[in-house]
């Protein structure tokens, strides 16, 4: 599903965000990319979502080489991804329902079907009763759940979440991890970048540990070693 | 295929809904903006309407150009009739009136001062003549007809009053050019206004545009609602201009109708109304498209 082959990414003047990174994630896996701030977790997710391109190496997502992908085709790749951003990127002038509806509007889903899917997604994250609320009226945990509902409403094959449990209390963080596990069990490939370990401890997902752009350890797979 | 068409239709319905909601969200500001553009567009539209009425009034005064065809003095009745039939069947002739030489003589005899002069003549000096109203009264067409008729047998002289036709044509051409220039200038004004409106709208929704891109929106998807907004703004401005011209026409129609010979003022024709709406819509769309092109290029 996702394959990195000796991928490097540098930022000016000469800061290596990722160095010679290789690993593979199969369909339906739940993977935690962990490491300290600045380890390269967000860059890794950005490469998968084609928000950035690798300087060298190959990033293959669903068989498509991100480095070679034409700009005009990027939107169509992203429609198969669900993105949960570190800063959530909620639209504060739209209510919960309208925020979750956005990916379905983009793919041109008919109104009735879209409404049904939005309600199902909100139900899944426990926000069905708050569909008329504005994001500003939600708690931090609810905002994060809304971001997750928006990421999965169009039924993507891959879900990428950047620091989804940051700023959440332990109970909310555990709830969020449970939601991700449910999506994985429904067949979605889930990739979570987080510097936190605790919320995921009980779920023991496959873990990629990054440090200064290199893969330090991958205890469960044996696909890539530093 | 059907699913793709349905998705396209859904996206267009969403875009149109969004554009309508944007206009309705600030009704007073939208109304003022539409009125401002509408008033500007009403100037060329009103000019076009006045031009149409001027032409109609000119025609009602009988100033449609005519050609006088004089036969040779020795032309017999049969040749005159044959010439008349040929003129009636001519595709570029609208009307023909035969003026027999006897009638011309009588008319001149009836004129004060001329009767005595004519009385001393031994025979009727006037030729048979035809007064021709051509279908196309443009100067070039008139001159072409004159040259053609001059070559016909027994035609002594063909006369057309091309000077005043030319003058009228020049004046109309000038007026038309003025109206067209005004329309282009004010159309550019509409383009500029829409450009700015869409630019501000996109700047205000920058976060949403960036998010949509991250979620898989194409530039076409992002731009579609703004194109609808620009086109709607143009269409409604055109409608406002049409209503302003209509109100102005109705306001002066009564007093003008009382002036002898002018008749009642005609409203903008259906064709001119459609051109006005289409032009305004196209200019609004163009302003939005230019703004989109620039904004999307800057944010990509």
């Amino acid at each position: 599903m996702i394959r990195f082959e000796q991928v490097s990414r540098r930022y000016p003047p000469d800061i290596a965000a990722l160095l010679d990174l290789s690993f593979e994630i199969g369909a339906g896996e739940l993977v935690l990319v962990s490491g300290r701030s600045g380890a390269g977790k967000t860059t890794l997710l950005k490469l998968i979502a084609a928000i950035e391109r690798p300087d060298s190496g190959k990033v293959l997502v669903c068989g498509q080489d991100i480095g070679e992908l034409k700009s005009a085709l990027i939107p169509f790749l992203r429609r198969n991804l669900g993105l949960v951003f570190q800063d959530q990127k909620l639209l504060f002038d739209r209510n919960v329902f309208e925020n979750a509806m956005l990916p379905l509007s983009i793919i041109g889903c008919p109104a009735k079907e879209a409404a049904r899917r939005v309600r199902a997604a909100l139900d899944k994250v426990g926000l069905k009763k708050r569909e008329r609320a504005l994001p500003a009226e939600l708690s931090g945990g609810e905002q994060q759940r809304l971001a997750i509902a928006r990421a999965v409403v169009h039924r993507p094959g891959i879900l990428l979440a950047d620091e989804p449990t940051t700023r959440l209390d332990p109970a909310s963080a555990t709830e969020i991890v449970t939601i991700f596990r449910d999506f994985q069990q429904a067949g979605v490939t889930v990739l979570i970048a987080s510097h936190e370990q605790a919320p995921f401890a009980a779920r023991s997902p496959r873990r990629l540990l990054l440090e200064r752009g290199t893969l330090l350890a991958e205890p469960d797979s044996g696909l890539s070693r530093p | 295929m059907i699913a793709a068409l349905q998705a396209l239709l859904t996206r267009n319905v969403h875009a149109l809904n969004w554009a309508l909601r944007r206009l309705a969200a600030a009704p007073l500001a939208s109304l003022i903006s539409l009125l401002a553009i509408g008033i500007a567009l009403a100037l060329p539209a009103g000019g076009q309407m006045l031009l149409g009425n001027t032409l109609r009034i000119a025609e009602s005064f009988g100033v449609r150009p005519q050609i006088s065809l004089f036969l040779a003095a020795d032309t017999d009745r049969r040749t005159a009739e044959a010439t008349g039939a040929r003129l009636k069947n001519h595709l570029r002739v609208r009307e023909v009136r035969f003026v027999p030489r006897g009638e011309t003589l009588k008319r001149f005899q009836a004129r004060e001062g001329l009767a005595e002069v004519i009385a001393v003549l031994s025979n009727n000096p006037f030729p048979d003549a035809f007064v021709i109203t051509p279908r196309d009264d443009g100067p070039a067409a008139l001159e072409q007809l004159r040259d053609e008729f001059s070559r016909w047998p027994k035609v002594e002289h063909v006369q057309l009053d091309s000077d005043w036709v030319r003058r009228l044509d020049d004046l109309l051409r000038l007026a038309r050019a003025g109206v067209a220039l005004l329309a282009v200038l004010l159309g550019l004004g509409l383009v500029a206004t829409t450009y700015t409106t869409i630019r501000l709208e996109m700047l205000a929704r920058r976060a949403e545009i960036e998010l949509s891109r991250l979620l898989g929106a194409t530039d076409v998807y992002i731009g579609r609602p703004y194109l609808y907004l620009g086109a709607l703004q143009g269409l409604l401005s055109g409608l406002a201009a049409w209503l302003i011209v209509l109100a102005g026409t109705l306001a002066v129609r009564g007093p003008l109708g009382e002036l002898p010979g002018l008749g009642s003022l005609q409203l903008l024709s259906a064709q001119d109304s459609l051109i006005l709406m289409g032009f305004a819509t196209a200019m609004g769309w163009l302003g939005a498209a230019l703004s989109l092109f620039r904004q999307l290029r800057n944010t990509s």
Side-chain angles (χ1 to χ4, degrees), chain A:
Chain A
M1 200 75 167
I2 300 168
R3 188 181 179 91
F4 274 53
E5 294 176 6
Q6 296 179 306
V7 173
S8 294
R9 174 74 178 130
R10 290 177 178 278
Y11 294 119
D14 191 25
I15 301 160
L18 293 177
L19 266 177
D20 223 14
L21 200 65
S22 297
F23 63 87
E24 187 170 347
I25 297 171
E29 273 195 85
L30 171 64
V31 177
L32 173 67
V33 182
S34 60
R36 293 178 189 166
S37 293
K41 306 183 295 294
T42 301
T43 302
L44 188 149
L45 295 190
K46 281 181 174 176
L47 287 173
I48 297 171
I51 297 168
E52 292 184 7
R53 307 243 190 183
D55 293 322
S56 63
K58 271 190 177 181
V59 177
L60 297 162
V61 180
C62 303
Q64 298 196 72
D65 186 345
I66 299 297
E68 300 293 318
L69 195 63
K70 286 182 182 170
S71 298
L73 295 177
I74 290 175
F76 302 98
L77 170 94
R78 289 186 186 153
R79 289 177 193 183
N80 193 34
L81 305 178
L83 302 176
V84 180
F85 304 97
Q86 194 167 0
D87 58 354
Q88 295 165 337
K89 295 192 190 300
L90 298 175
L91 300 175
F92 281 80
D93 60 340
R94 312 275 183 95
N95 64 29
V96 166
F97 186 90
E98 289 164 339
N99 266 280
M101 175 72 98
L102 191 56
L104 295 175
S105 300
I106 290 169
I107 62 170
C109 185
K112 268 189 183 173
E113 170 67 7
R116 193 187 64 74
R117 282 162 72 166
V118 167
R119 292 204 170 94
L122 292 177
D123 192 26
K124 181 79 187 157
V125 298
L127 284 177
K128 195 177 177 185
K129 288 182 180 168
R130 308 226 53 195
E131 66 175 51
R132 299 273 167 214
L134 289 170
E137 296 163 7
L138 303 178
S139 68
E142 285 175 325
Q143 286 185 0
Q144 195 60 273
R145 281 188 272 155
L146 171 57
I148 294 169
R150 188 186 61 195
V152 298
V153 72
H154 56 300
R155 298 173 186 160
I158 300 171
L159 179 59
L160 306 175
D162 195 3
E163 301 288 359
T165 54
T166 307
R167 296 192 302 267
L168 296 184
D169 59 78
S172 299
T174 307
E175 269 181 37
I176 297 291
V177 175
T178 307
I179 291 170
F180 284 133
R181 175 61 80 183
D182 290 345
F183 286 124
Q184 183 228 344
Q185 282 168 356
V188 179
T189 305
V190 183
L191 195 61
I192 304 165
S194 177
H195 68 276
E196 294 179 316
Q197 306 286 325
F200 304 93
R203 302 284 167 181
S204 60
R206 178 183 161 197
R207 211 178 101 197
L208 300 174
L209 179 60
L210 288 177
E211 190 174 297
R212 291 181 188 172
T214 53
L215 195 57
L216 274 189
E218 194 190 347
D220 308 328
S221 78
L223 279 167
S224 177
R225 289 286 178 269

Side-chain angles (χ1 to χ4, degrees), chain B residues 247-300:
Chain B
T249 311
L250 293 177
V252 297
R253 204 180 199 180
L256 272 183
E258 288 166 16
L259 293 176
L262 282 185
S264 74
L265 210 53
Q266 299 275 303
L267 306 176
L268 263 181
S269 69
Q271 189 189 353
D272 286 342
S273 303
L274 281 176
I275 290 173
L276 170 65
M277 304 288 179
F279 175 75
T281 307
M283 291 300 106
W285 183 90
L286 180 65
L290 290 174
S291 189
L292 262 175
F293 178 72
R294 190 176 159 79
Q295 297 301 314
L296 288 177
R297 205 180 52 173
N298 287 350
T299 54
S300 64

Side-chain angles (χ1 to χ4, degrees), chain B residues 238-248:
Chain B
L239 187 65
W242 187 83
L243 288 171
I244 289 165
V245 173
L246 177 73

Side-chain angles (χ1 to χ4, degrees), chain A residues 51 72 75-76 78-79 83 85 88-91 93-94 102-103 105-111 150, chain B residues 3 6-8 10-11 14 18 21 205 207-219 221:
Chain A
I51 297 168
F76 302 98
R78 289 186 186 153
R79 289 177 193 183
L83 302 176
F85 304 97
Q88 295 165 337
K89 295 192 190 300
L90 298 175
L91 300 175
D93 60 340
R94 312 275 183 95
L102 191 56
S105 300
I106 290 169
I107 62 170
C109 185
R150 188 186 61 195
Chain B
Q6 196 176 23
L8 185 68
T10 305
R11 287 192 196 107
H14 277 163
W18 179 87
R21 274 189 275 118
R205 310 186 82 79
E208 183 185 340
I209 290 170
E210 282 171 6
L211 173 65
S212 298
R213 272 209 167 115
L214 291 170
L215 297 181
T218 57
D219 282 355
Y221 172 86

Side-chain angles (χ1 to χ4, degrees), chain B residues 3 22 26-27 34 65 86 97 102 145 149 206 271 288:
Chain B
R22 288 310 303 156
L34 295 177
R86 196 173 171 188
R97 186 165 59 85
L145 275 181
F149 295 153
R206 199 185 174 107
Q271 189 189 353

